[in-house]
Amino acid sequence: MENVFKILVNGKDCQIKADPETPMLYILRNNLTLNGPKFGCGLVQCGACMMLIDGVAVPSCTYPLQNVGQSEVTTLEGLSQEGEQLHPVQQSFFEEQAAQCGYCTNGLIMASVALLRRKSNPSETEIRAELQRNICRCGIHARAIRAVKKLADR
């Protein structure tokens, strides 16, 4: 049975009519046409679908719509305002060429943003621990870690 939900996504109020158990990944991609979060495994194992819920990186593939409540949802598209520069993490990933096929990039960036919001100067060990739940089959982890470390060292 579908219900109507009012949620805040990327600073905008959205009204969604859907089953309460619908994973946020489908809401973000299908209802709101946001393409940042990717469908990877659908089992909370790869991190490609990562979004921020009140600043915390959360896999959207199993997070039900009904759990969002009054929380603020941020996707890759919401990190920088329209027409403005890239978010510093996005810029650092770009500068370090920390993307190959790009499928995992959303998750790596969202996890990095959440980490840097919690701790502005994380150690390399902390960066590795935070990003280990993001699987990249292209093997850009070293570049992603360097991109985050570069920001932490500023």
Side-chain angles (χ1 to χ4, degrees):
M1 184 169 133
E2 293 187 340
N3 294 338
V4 176
F5 294 87
K6 292 182 180 177
I7 59 175
L8 182 62
V9 179
N10 296 335
K12 297 177 184 169
D13 290 317
C14 303
Q15 189 167 322
I16 305 293
K17 185 177 181 183
D19 184 295
E21 293 292 328
T22 305
M24 277 301 292
L25 178 62
Y26 300 129
I27 300 299
L28 296 171
R29 290 190 60 87
N30 300 340
N31 295 66
L32 301 177
T33 63
L34 297 169
N35 295 320
K38 304 286 189 267
F39 184 91
C41 65
L43 303 169
V44 189
Q45 294 179 351
C46 73
C49 65
M50 206 69 75
M51 64 180 173
L52 300 181
I53 297 282
D54 291 333
V56 176
V58 175
S60 65
C61 66
T62 59
Y63 195 91
L65 171 62
Q66 66 185 353
N67 286 9
V68 172
Q70 300 300 312
S71 298
E72 181 173 358
V73 177
T74 306
T75 68
L76 190 67
E77 293 88 347
L79 290 180
S80 60
Q81 298 300 317
E82 193 170 316
E84 293 186 12
Q85 296 180 343
L86 293 174
H87 184 277
V89 173
Q90 292 172 307
Q91 184 65 39
S92 189
F93 269 64
F94 174 75
E95 290 169 3
E96 295 299 325
Q97 299 180 1
Q100 199 154 349
C101 81
Y103 208 78
C104 68
T105 306
N106 172 74
L108 286 164
I109 289 175
M110 300 310 281
S112 299
V113 168
L115 171 64
L116 291 169
R117 283 184 180 170
R118 275 193 334 270
K119 188 166 189 172
S120 62
N121 191 14
S123 67
E124 186 170 325
T125 302
E126 292 167 320
I127 296 168
R128 288 178 180 274
E130 184 72 18
L131 299 184
Q132 78 175 24
R133 63 182 175 162
N134 297 89
I135 295 173
C136 172
R137 297 190 190 286
C138 300
I140 58 92
H141 280 100
R143 291 178 183 179
I145 291 167
R146 192 170 53 231
V148 178
K149 186 85 175 92
K150 183 175 158 183
L151 291 171
D153 290 340
R154 287 184 184 169

